[in-house]
Amino acid sequence: MSHTPDVRSADSPAAASSGRTAPLSAQFGADAGRPAARKVRRWPLIVMRCLVTAFLLLTLVQPVLAGMFITGDVDLLALHEVNSHTLTFLSWLMVVSAVLLWRPGRGPWWPMPVTVLIAFLVQTQSGFGYSRSLALHIPLGVALTAGATALVFWSFTPRGGRR
C-alpha cells in the first residue's frame, strides 16, 4: 500500500475531524502572500510560434520577389501578389491564435492588439501596393518585417507566452 499525502486544507471539516492541518510550508512558505501562478498552456503558444514564424518567412520572401520583378522577371509580380494574400490570411490567423493564447491558454493579453495592428497594416500594405504608392509600401514592409521578427523573438524566448 502506498502512502498518499493528505491534501485537505486545515479549514475543511474532514481535516478538523481527523486533527490534521496543512503543512507549515503551505501556511508560512515563500508563496504564502502571493496568488498561485497559473501555468500557461502549451498548445496555443506552439500554434502562435508556428504562425508567426511562417508569417516572418513569407514577409522575408516579399522583398526578394519584388526585387526579382524589378530586375526583369515580370512573372514574379503575380507570385508577390499571391504571397501578399497568404500574408493577409496568416495575419488574421495570428489574431485568432493570440486570442486563444490569452483566454484558454492563460497567456499574456498584449499579443492580441499587436496582431490586430499587424493584420491591419498588412491590409494597408496591400492597398499601397495595388495603388503603386511605393514611398509608403516599402517602409511599411520594413516595419512589418521588424514587427514579425520581434514577435518571433518573443515567442521563442524562455519566458515567451508567460505572464
Side-chain angles (χ1 to χ4, degrees):
M1 181 165 128
S2 68
H3 180 269
T4 57
D6 190 9
V7 292
R8 294 176 281 198
S9 71
D11 298 333
S12 72
S17 66
S18 68
R20 294 183 183 159
T21 60
L24 286 177
S25 63
Q27 292 176 5
F28 302 107
D31 297 333
R34 287 185 268 162
R38 294 183 352 182
K39 186 167 174 70
V40 177
R41 293 186 178 148
R42 297 282 299 165
W43 69 266
L45 182 59
I46 291 170
V47 169
M48 183 72 154
R49 284 177 177 169
C50 292
L51 289 174
V52 297
T53 302
F55 183 83
L56 175 62
L57 292 174
L58 290 178
T59 303
L60 292 172
V61 166
Q62 280 296 78
V64 173
L65 294 173
M68 292 176 75
F69 162 72
I70 290 171
T71 60
D73 196 349
V74 292
D75 295 334
L76 289 178
L77 186 60
L79 195 53
H80 184 77
E81 179 183 15
V82 168
N83 197 27
S84 75
H85 293 306
T86 307
L87 282 168
T88 301
F89 180 70
L90 267 178
S91 68
W92 289 110
L93 283 180
M94 285 175 14
V95 171
V96 172
S97 74
V99 171
L100 291 174
L101 178 66
W102 173 55
R103 267 301 104 184
R106 300 180 185 143
W109 63 270
W110 67 264
M112 271 189 322
V114 170
T115 55
V116 168
L117 177 65
I118 286 176
F120 174 74
L121 290 177
V122 167
Q123 293 287 130
T124 306
Q125 170 78 347
S126 183
F128 287 149
Y130 280 119
S131 69
R132 307 275 195 252
S133 300
L134 297 183
L136 298 171
H137 184 72
I138 293 171
L140 187 54
V142 171
L144 282 169
T145 303
T149 303
L151 270 178
V152 168
F153 177 77
W154 164 79
S155 71
F156 281 99
T157 56
R159 297 201 40 89
R162 295 190 188 114
R163 290 182 183 216

Short mmCIF file of all heavy atoms in Angstrom, two decimals, residues 82-128:
data_model
loop_
_atom_site.label_atom_id
_atom_site.label_comp_id
_atom_site.label_asym_id
_atom_site.label_seq_id
_atom_site.Cartn_x
_atom_site.Cartn_y
_atom_site.Cartn_z
N VAL A 82 0.28 36.79 -54.80
CA VAL A 82 -0.22 35.59 -54.11
C VAL A 82 0.35 35.51 -52.70
O VAL A 82 -0.36 35.20 -51.73
CB VAL A 82 0.14 34.31 -54.93
CG1 VAL A 82 -0.11 33.06 -54.11
CG2 VAL A 82 -0.65 34.28 -56.23
N ASN A 83 1.63 35.83 -52.56
CA ASN A 83 2.25 35.83 -51.25
C ASN A 83 1.62 36.88 -50.34
O ASN A 83 1.46 36.66 -49.13
CB ASN A 83 3.76 36.07 -51.38
CG ASN A 83 4.51 35.69 -50.14
OD1 ASN A 83 4.09 34.84 -49.37
ND2 ASN A 83 5.64 36.32 -49.92
N SER A 84 1.23 38.02 -50.90
CA SER A 84 0.58 39.05 -50.07
C SER A 84 -0.79 38.58 -49.58
O SER A 84 -1.18 38.86 -48.44
CB SER A 84 0.45 40.36 -50.84
OG SER A 84 -0.59 40.30 -51.80
N HIS A 85 -1.52 37.85 -50.43
CA HIS A 85 -2.81 37.29 -49.98
C HIS A 85 -2.59 36.24 -48.88
O HIS A 85 -3.36 36.17 -47.93
CB HIS A 85 -3.57 36.68 -51.15
CG HIS A 85 -4.03 37.69 -52.16
ND1 HIS A 85 -4.78 38.78 -51.82
CD2 HIS A 85 -3.82 37.76 -53.50
CE1 HIS A 85 -5.03 39.49 -52.91
NE2 HIS A 85 -4.45 38.89 -53.94
N THR A 86 -1.54 35.45 -49.02
CA THR A 86 -1.21 34.46 -47.99
C THR A 86 -0.85 35.16 -46.68
O THR A 86 -1.26 34.73 -45.60
CB THR A 86 -0.05 33.57 -48.46
OG1 THR A 86 -0.38 33.02 -49.73
CG2 THR A 86 0.22 32.45 -47.48
N LEU A 87 -0.09 36.24 -46.78
CA LEU A 87 0.26 37.01 -45.58
C LEU A 87 -0.97 37.61 -44.92
O LEU A 87 -1.06 37.65 -43.68
CB LEU A 87 1.26 38.11 -45.93
CG LEU A 87 2.69 37.66 -46.12
CD1 LEU A 87 3.53 38.77 -46.75
CD2 LEU A 87 3.29 37.24 -44.79
N THR A 88 -1.92 38.07 -45.72
CA THR A 88 -3.15 38.63 -45.16
C THR A 88 -3.91 37.55 -44.39
O THR A 88 -4.35 37.77 -43.25
CB THR A 88 -4.04 39.20 -46.28
OG1 THR A 88 -3.31 40.20 -46.98
CG2 THR A 88 -5.32 39.77 -45.74
N PHE A 89 -4.03 36.38 -44.98
CA PHE A 89 -4.71 35.27 -44.31
C PHE A 89 -3.99 34.87 -43.03
O PHE A 89 -4.60 34.67 -41.98
CB PHE A 89 -4.81 34.08 -45.28
CG PHE A 89 -5.49 32.88 -44.70
CD1 PHE A 89 -6.85 32.91 -44.45
CD2 PHE A 89 -4.78 31.74 -44.41
CE1 PHE A 89 -7.49 31.80 -43.91
CE2 PHE A 89 -5.40 30.63 -43.87
CZ PHE A 89 -6.77 30.66 -43.61
N LEU A 90 -2.67 34.75 -43.10
CA LEU A 90 -1.88 34.38 -41.93
C LEU A 90 -1.98 35.43 -40.83
O LEU A 90 -1.99 35.09 -39.65
CB LEU A 90 -0.41 34.20 -42.31
CG LEU A 90 0.04 32.81 -42.67
CD1 LEU A 90 1.51 32.83 -43.06
CD2 LEU A 90 -0.18 31.84 -41.55
N SER A 91 -2.04 36.70 -41.21
CA SER A 91 -2.11 37.75 -40.18
C SER A 91 -3.41 37.64 -39.38
O SER A 91 -3.41 37.85 -38.16
CB SER A 91 -1.98 39.14 -40.81
OG SER A 91 -3.09 39.45 -41.61
N TRP A 92 -4.52 37.29 -40.03
CA TRP A 92 -5.77 37.13 -39.28
C TRP A 92 -5.78 35.83 -38.49
O TRP A 92 -6.39 35.76 -37.42
CB TRP A 92 -6.97 37.23 -40.22
CG TRP A 92 -7.12 38.64 -40.69
CD1 TRP A 92 -6.88 39.12 -41.95
CD2 TRP A 92 -7.48 39.78 -39.91
NE1 TRP A 92 -7.08 40.47 -41.98
CE2 TRP A 92 -7.45 40.91 -40.75
CE3 TRP A 92 -7.82 39.96 -38.56
CZ2 TRP A 92 -7.75 42.20 -40.30
CZ3 TRP A 92 -8.11 41.24 -38.11
CH2 TRP A 92 -8.08 42.33 -38.97
N LEU A 93 -5.09 34.80 -38.97
CA LEU A 93 -4.92 33.59 -38.16
C LEU A 93 -4.08 33.88 -36.92
O LEU A 93 -4.32 33.30 -35.85
CB LEU A 93 -4.26 32.48 -38.97
CG LEU A 93 -5.13 31.72 -39.96
CD1 LEU A 93 -4.30 30.65 -40.67
CD2 LEU A 93 -6.33 31.11 -39.29
N MET A 94 -3.12 34.79 -37.03
CA MET A 94 -2.33 35.19 -35.87
C MET A 94 -3.19 35.89 -34.83
O MET A 94 -2.98 35.72 -33.63
CB MET A 94 -1.16 36.10 -36.29
CG MET A 94 -0.05 35.35 -36.95
SD MET A 94 1.34 36.33 -37.61
CE MET A 94 1.19 37.93 -36.93
N VAL A 95 -4.17 36.67 -35.28
CA VAL A 95 -5.09 37.32 -34.35
C VAL A 95 -5.87 36.26 -33.58
O VAL A 95 -6.00 36.33 -32.34
CB VAL A 95 -6.05 38.29 -35.09
CG1 VAL A 95 -7.14 38.79 -34.17
CG2 VAL A 95 -5.27 39.45 -35.69
N VAL A 96 -6.38 35.27 -34.30
CA VAL A 96 -7.12 34.19 -33.64
C VAL A 96 -6.23 33.44 -32.66
O VAL A 96 -6.63 33.13 -31.53
CB VAL A 96 -7.72 33.22 -34.70
CG1 VAL A 96 -8.32 31.99 -34.06
CG2 VAL A 96 -8.76 33.95 -35.54
N SER A 97 -4.99 33.17 -33.06
CA SER A 97 -4.09 32.44 -32.15
C SER A 97 -3.72 33.28 -30.94
O SER A 97 -3.52 32.74 -29.85
CB SER A 97 -2.83 31.98 -32.89
OG SER A 97 -1.97 33.06 -33.14
N ALA A 98 -3.64 34.60 -31.09
CA ALA A 98 -3.36 35.46 -29.93
C ALA A 98 -4.53 35.45 -28.95
O ALA A 98 -4.32 35.46 -27.73
CB ALA A 98 -3.08 36.89 -30.40
N VAL A 99 -5.74 35.41 -29.48
CA VAL A 99 -6.92 35.30 -28.60
C VAL A 99 -6.90 33.96 -27.88
O VAL A 99 -7.15 33.88 -26.67
CB VAL A 99 -8.23 35.48 -29.41
CG1 VAL A 99 -9.44 35.15 -28.57
CG2 VAL A 99 -8.32 36.89 -29.95
N LEU A 100 -6.59 32.90 -28.59
CA LEU A 100 -6.52 31.57 -27.96
C LEU A 100 -5.37 31.48 -26.95
O LEU A 100 -5.50 30.78 -25.93
CB LEU A 100 -6.35 30.49 -29.03
CG LEU A 100 -7.56 30.27 -29.93
CD1 LEU A 100 -7.22 29.27 -31.03
CD2 LEU A 100 -8.76 29.82 -29.15
N LEU A 101 -4.29 32.17 -27.21
CA LEU A 101 -3.18 32.19 -26.25
C LEU A 101 -3.60 32.90 -24.97
O LEU A 101 -3.24 32.49 -23.87
CB LEU A 101 -1.97 32.88 -26.86
CG LEU A 101 -0.74 33.03 -25.97
CD1 LEU A 101 -0.15 31.67 -25.63
CD2 LEU A 101 0.30 33.90 -26.65
N TRP A 102 -4.40 33.94 -25.10
CA TRP A 102 -4.81 34.73 -23.94
C TRP A 102 -5.88 34.01 -23.11
O TRP A 102 -5.72 33.81 -21.93
CB TRP A 102 -5.32 36.09 -24.41
CG TRP A 102 -5.92 36.92 -23.33
CD1 TRP A 102 -5.34 37.29 -22.15
CD2 TRP A 102 -7.22 37.50 -23.33
NE1 TRP A 102 -6.20 38.05 -21.42
CE2 TRP A 102 -7.37 38.22 -22.13
CE3 TRP A 102 -8.27 37.50 -24.24
CZ2 TRP A 102 -8.52 38.91 -21.81
CZ3 TRP A 102 -9.41 38.20 -23.92
CH2 TRP A 102 -9.53 38.89 -22.72
N ARG A 103 -7.00 33.64 -23.73
CA ARG A 103 -8.12 33.12 -22.94
C ARG A 103 -7.96 31.66 -22.54
O ARG A 103 -7.72 31.38 -21.40
CB ARG A 103 -9.45 33.35 -23.68
CG ARG A 103 -10.11 34.61 -23.28
CD ARG A 103 -10.39 34.65 -21.79
NE ARG A 103 -9.46 35.51 -21.11
CZ ARG A 103 -9.37 35.71 -19.82
NH1 ARG A 103 -10.16 35.11 -19.01
NH2 ARG A 103 -8.50 36.50 -19.31
N PRO A 104 -8.11 30.71 -23.42
CA PRO A 104 -7.96 29.36 -22.89
C PRO A 104 -6.50 29.03 -22.56
O PRO A 104 -6.24 28.18 -21.72
CB PRO A 104 -8.49 28.44 -23.98
CG PRO A 104 -8.48 29.23 -25.22
CD PRO A 104 -8.52 30.68 -24.83
N GLY A 105 -5.56 29.74 -23.18
CA GLY A 105 -4.16 29.41 -22.97
C GLY A 105 -3.53 30.03 -21.75
O GLY A 105 -2.42 29.69 -21.38
N ARG A 106 -4.21 30.98 -21.13
CA ARG A 106 -3.72 31.66 -19.92
C ARG A 106 -2.44 32.44 -20.15
O ARG A 106 -1.64 32.64 -19.25
CB ARG A 106 -3.51 30.67 -18.79
CG ARG A 106 -4.74 29.93 -18.39
CD ARG A 106 -4.40 28.98 -17.27
NE ARG A 106 -5.57 28.18 -16.96
CZ ARG A 106 -5.51 26.91 -16.62
NH1 ARG A 106 -4.35 26.32 -16.52
NH2 ARG A 106 -6.60 26.25 -16.36
N GLY A 107 -2.22 32.90 -21.36
CA GLY A 107 -1.02 33.67 -21.68
C GLY A 107 -1.27 35.15 -21.54
O GLY A 107 -2.32 35.58 -21.05
N PRO A 108 -0.33 35.97 -21.98
CA PRO A 108 -0.48 37.42 -21.88
C PRO A 108 -1.54 37.94 -22.85
O PRO A 108 -1.83 37.32 -23.87
CB PRO A 108 0.90 37.95 -22.23
CG PRO A 108 1.52 36.89 -23.06
CD PRO A 108 0.96 35.58 -22.57
N TRP A 109 -2.07 39.10 -22.54
CA TRP A 109 -3.13 39.69 -23.37
C TRP A 109 -2.55 40.56 -24.49
O TRP A 109 -3.19 40.78 -25.51
CB TRP A 109 -4.08 40.54 -22.53
CG TRP A 109 -3.39 41.71 -21.89
CD1 TRP A 109 -2.79 41.73 -20.67
CD2 TRP A 109 -3.19 43.00 -22.46
NE1 TRP A 109 -2.22 42.95 -20.44
CE2 TRP A 109 -2.46 43.76 -21.53
CE3 TRP A 109 -3.56 43.59 -23.67
CZ2 TRP A 109 -2.09 45.07 -21.76
CZ3 TRP A 109 -3.18 44.91 -23.90
CH2 TRP A 109 -2.47 45.64 -22.94
N TRP A 110 -1.34 41.08 -24.31
CA TRP A 110 -0.82 42.08 -25.25
C TRP A 110 -0.58 41.58 -26.67
O TRP A 110 -0.58 42.40 -27.60
CB TRP A 110 0.43 42.75 -24.69
CG TRP A 110 1.61 41.86 -24.54
CD1 TRP A 110 2.02 41.21 -23.42
CD2 TRP A 110 2.55 41.51 -25.56
NE1 TRP A 110 3.14 40.47 -23.68
CE2 TRP A 110 3.49 40.64 -24.98
CE3 TRP A 110 2.68 41.83 -26.90
CZ2 TRP A 110 4.54 40.09 -25.70
CZ3 TRP A 110 3.73 41.28 -27.61
CH2 TRP A 110 4.65 40.43 -27.01
N PRO A 111 -0.36 40.29 -26.95
CA PRO A 111 -0.22 39.91 -28.36
C PRO A 111 -1.49 40.14 -29.18
O PRO A 111 -1.41 40.28 -30.40
CB PRO A 111 0.14 38.42 -28.30
CG PRO A 111 0.82 38.25 -27.00
CD PRO A 111 0.07 39.17 -26.07
N MET A 112 -2.66 40.20 -28.52
CA MET A 112 -3.89 40.45 -29.27
C MET A 112 -3.87 41.78 -30.00
O MET A 112 -4.04 41.82 -31.22
CB MET A 112 -5.11 40.37 -28.35
CG MET A 112 -5.67 39.00 -28.23
SD MET A 112 -7.24 38.99 -27.37
CE MET A 112 -7.04 40.22 -26.13
N PRO A 113 -3.69 42.92 -29.30
CA PRO A 113 -3.68 44.18 -30.05
C PRO A 113 -2.50 44.29 -31.02
O PRO A 113 -2.64 44.92 -32.07
CB PRO A 113 -3.61 45.25 -28.96
CG PRO A 113 -3.24 44.58 -27.71
CD PRO A 113 -3.62 43.14 -27.85
N VAL A 114 -1.39 43.66 -30.70
CA VAL A 114 -0.24 43.70 -31.61
C VAL A 114 -0.57 42.97 -32.91
O VAL A 114 -0.28 43.47 -34.01
CB VAL A 114 1.02 43.11 -30.93
CG1 VAL A 114 2.14 42.92 -31.92
CG2 VAL A 114 1.46 44.00 -29.79
N THR A 115 -1.18 41.80 -32.80
CA THR A 115 -1.51 41.05 -34.02
C THR A 115 -2.64 41.72 -34.81
O THR A 115 -2.64 41.65 -36.04
CB THR A 115 -1.87 39.59 -33.70
OG1 THR A 115 -2.92 39.56 -32.73
CG2 THR A 115 -0.67 38.83 -33.18
N VAL A 116 -3.57 42.37 -34.11
CA VAL A 116 -4.61 43.12 -34.82
C VAL A 116 -3.96 44.27 -35.60
O VAL A 116 -4.31 44.53 -36.76
CB VAL A 116 -5.69 43.64 -33.84
CG1 VAL A 116 -6.60 44.65 -34.51
CG2 VAL A 116 -6.51 42.48 -33.29
N LEU A 117 -3.02 44.96 -34.96
CA LEU A 117 -2.31 46.05 -35.65
C LEU A 117 -1.54 45.51 -36.86
O LEU A 117 -1.58 46.11 -37.94
CB LEU A 117 -1.35 46.74 -34.68
CG LEU A 117 -0.49 47.86 -35.28
CD1 LEU A 117 -1.37 49.02 -35.74
CD2 LEU A 117 0.54 48.32 -34.28
N ILE A 118 -0.88 44.38 -36.70
CA ILE A 118 -0.14 43.79 -37.83
C ILE A 118 -1.10 43.42 -38.95
O ILE A 118 -0.83 43.69 -40.13
CB ILE A 118 0.69 42.58 -37.36
CG1 ILE A 118 1.91 43.06 -36.58
CG2 ILE A 118 1.12 41.71 -38.54
CD1 ILE A 118 2.75 41.95 -35.98
N ALA A 119 -2.25 42.81 -38.62
CA ALA A 119 -3.23 42.44 -39.66
C ALA A 119 -3.74 43.68 -40.38
O ALA A 119 -3.90 43.68 -41.61
CB ALA A 119 -4.38 41.66 -39.03
N PHE A 120 -3.99 44.75 -39.63
CA PHE A 120 -4.45 46.00 -40.25
C PHE A 120 -3.36 46.58 -41.16
O PHE A 120 -3.65 47.04 -42.26
CB PHE A 120 -4.84 47.01 -39.16
CG PHE A 120 -5.17 48.36 -39.69
CD1 PHE A 120 -6.37 48.59 -40.34
CD2 PHE A 120 -4.27 49.41 -39.55
CE1 PHE A 120 -6.68 49.85 -40.85
CE2 PHE A 120 -4.56 50.66 -40.05
CZ PHE A 120 -5.77 50.88 -40.70
N LEU A 121 -2.12 46.54 -40.69
CA LEU A 121 -1.02 47.08 -41.50
C LEU A 121 -0.77 46.24 -42.75
O LEU A 121 -0.37 46.79 -43.79
CB LEU A 121 0.25 47.19 -40.66
CG LEU A 121 0.22 48.27 -39.58
CD1 LEU A 121 1.51 48.24 -38.76
CD2 LEU A 121 -0.02 49.65 -40.16
N VAL A 122 -0.99 44.94 -42.67
CA VAL A 122 -0.85 44.10 -43.86
C VAL A 122 -1.90 44.49 -44.90
O VAL A 122 -1.59 44.58 -46.10
CB VAL A 122 -0.95 42.60 -43.49
CG1 VAL A 122 -1.12 41.73 -44.72
CG2 VAL A 122 0.28 42.17 -42.72
N GLN A 123 -3.12 44.73 -44.44
CA GLN A 123 -4.17 45.18 -45.37
C GLN A 123 -3.80 46.53 -45.99
O GLN A 123 -3.98 46.74 -47.19
CB GLN A 123 -5.50 45.33 -44.61
CG GLN A 123 -6.09 44.06 -44.10
CD GLN A 123 -6.66 43.22 -45.22
OE1 GLN A 123 -6.36 42.04 -45.29
NE2 GLN A 123 -7.47 43.78 -46.06
N THR A 124 -3.29 47.44 -45.16
CA THR A 124 -2.87 48.75 -45.65
C THR A 124 -1.71 48.61 -46.63
O THR A 124 -1.68 49.28 -47.67
CB THR A 124 -2.46 49.64 -44.46
OG1 THR A 124 -3.54 49.67 -43.52
CG2 THR A 124 -2.12 51.04 -44.89
N GLN A 125 -0.78 47.75 -46.31
CA GLN A 125 0.37 47.48 -47.17
C GLN A 125 -0.08 46.99 -48.54
O GLN A 125 0.44 47.40 -49.57
CB GLN A 125 1.28 46.44 -46.49
CG GLN A 125 2.37 45.87 -47.30
CD GLN A 125 3.55 46.82 -47.44
OE1 GLN A 125 3.45 47.99 -47.11
NE2 GLN A 125 4.63 46.33 -47.95
N SER A 126 -1.04 46.10 -48.54
CA SER A 126 -1.56 45.58 -49.80
C SER A 126 -2.22 46.70 -50.63
O SER A 126 -2.03 46.77 -51.84
CB SER A 126 -2.57 44.46 -49.51
OG SER A 126 -3.04 43.89 -50.69
N GLY A 127 -2.96 47.55 -49.95
CA GLY A 127 -3.59 48.68 -50.65
C GLY A 127 -2.56 49.62 -51.26
O GLY A 127 -2.72 50.09 -52.39
N PHE A 128 -1.49 49.91 -50.51
CA PHE A 128 -0.43 50.76 -51.05
C PHE A 128 0.26 50.09 -52.23
O PHE A 128 0.66 50.77 -53.18
CB PHE A 128 0.61 51.08 -49.97
CG PHE A 128 0.15 52.06 -48.94
CD1 PHE A 128 0.63 51.98 -47.64
CD2 PHE A 128 -0.76 53.06 -49.23
CE1 PHE A 128 0.21 52.86 -46.67
CE2 PHE A 128 -1.19 53.95 -48.27
CZ PHE A 128 -0.70 53.86 -46.98
#
